């Protein structure tokens, strides 16, 4: 009788473990994807890897390093749409930084000159 109780307990533990793993797997595999059938307008977002640039802004004693990430957003809806980008940077030391805040316009000009793209716009 004791052996049967141990088997039942083991079976329930295994069943619980399987349910936990299945639930975790489904959660980990779920992420936003574009719709196969377009239900509403969508933008096409293409980006490159983040890059570094060193710029000495007016008032700075030394040049500072800045990360930037060139990207292109294409609107295929056939109508004008407003899109306001917002990027948040999470550092390896636990800091949360809103991208672009406190960045001098001189930095954007330096990036524009480096990329040689007159159509470049700051976020």
């Amino acid at each position: 009788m004791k052996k049967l109780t141990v088997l039942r307990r083991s079976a329930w533990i295994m069943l619980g473990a399987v349910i936990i793993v299945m639930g975790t797997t489904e959660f980990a595999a779920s992420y936003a994807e574009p719709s196969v059938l377009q239900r509403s307008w969508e933008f096409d977002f293409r980006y490159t890897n983040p890059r570094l640039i060193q710029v000495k802004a007016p008032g700075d004693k030394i040049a500072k390093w800045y990360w930037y990430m060139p990207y292109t957003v294409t609107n295929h809806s056939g109508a004008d749409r407003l899109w306001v980008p917002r990027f948040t940077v999470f550092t390896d030391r636990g800091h949360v930084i809103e991208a672009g805040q406190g960045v001098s316009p001189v930095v954007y000009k330096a990036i524009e000159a480096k990329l040689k793209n007159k159509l470049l716009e700051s976020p």
Side-chain angles (χ1 to χ4, degrees):
M1 185 73 166
K2 190 174 184 180
K3 195 173 194 181
L4 185 58
T5 306
V6 171
L7 285 174
R8 282 185 186 161
R9 191 177 314 154
S10 297
W12 280 110
I13 291 171
M14 289 297 288
L15 179 61
V18 168
I19 290 171
I20 289 171
V21 169
M22 287 175 59
T24 306
T25 304
E26 182 180 333
F27 176 75
S30 62
Y31 52 89
E33 291 183 8
S35 176
V36 174
L37 299 173
Q38 190 174 6
R39 297 180 189 161
S40 64
W41 54 270
E42 294 175 353
F43 291 129
D44 183 23
F45 182 80
R46 305 251 184 239
Y47 64 94
T48 64
N49 289 331
R51 304 173 186 179
L52 274 171
I53 189 168
Q54 189 177 27
V55 179
K56 185 174 184 237
D60 288 345
K61 293 183 180 180
I62 59 171
K64 295 180 184 176
W65 288 97
Y66 296 88
W67 283 102
Y68 68 98
M69 183 183 73
Y71 61 89
T72 303
V73 179
T74 306
N75 174 10
H76 296 289
S77 71
D80 289 342
R81 304 286 183 198
L82 177 64
W83 185 68
V84 181
R86 180 178 171 181
F87 298 98
T88 305
V89 179
F90 299 90
T91 70
D92 60 347
R93 295 191 175 153
H95 297 112
V96 180
I97 304 166
E98 291 297 323
Q101 287 189 353
V103 177
S104 169
V106 172
V107 176
Y108 292 111
K109 291 290 183 190
I111 294 169
E112 180 182 312
K114 185 173 183 171
L115 296 178
K116 298 178 179 140
N117 184 348
K118 299 237 185 240
L119 300 176
L120 186 71
E121 295 182 26
S122 72

